[in-house]
Amino acid sequence: MLAVNDIAPGRKLLLAGGLTAEVIENLGDGEWLRVRILSGADTGVEELCHATDVQDLA
């Protein structure tokens, strides 16, 4: 699990399951990010992403 406290909007992430996402908003609680999915069947979908799903920075 990557610490998400300092991840800024616009940053791209590698998520569990091999997905790539872009951070739209960091909720600042150290656990949740609002992201836009950039790959896979859900491309373009915005959703909340928990810190445990973040594998690395892209």
Side-chain angles (χ1 to χ4, degrees):
M1 181 173 86
L2 187 69
V4 299
N5 288 348
D6 298 323
I7 297 178
R11 191 69 197 243
K12 293 187 176 44
L13 307 172
L14 299 174
L15 303 180
L19 296 175
T20 304
E22 177 182 4
V23 177
I24 298 169
E25 178 185 9
N26 186 331
L27 301 180
D29 62 359
E31 291 189 40
W32 294 99
L33 301 167
R34 182 172 308 282
V35 300
R36 178 179 301 111
I37 304 298
L38 301 176
S39 63
D42 291 333
T43 298
V45 172
E46 294 182 12
E47 61 183 43
L48 287 177
C49 174
H50 194 265
T52 57
D53 293 324
V54 178
Q55 300 295 307
D56 205 350
L57 300 174

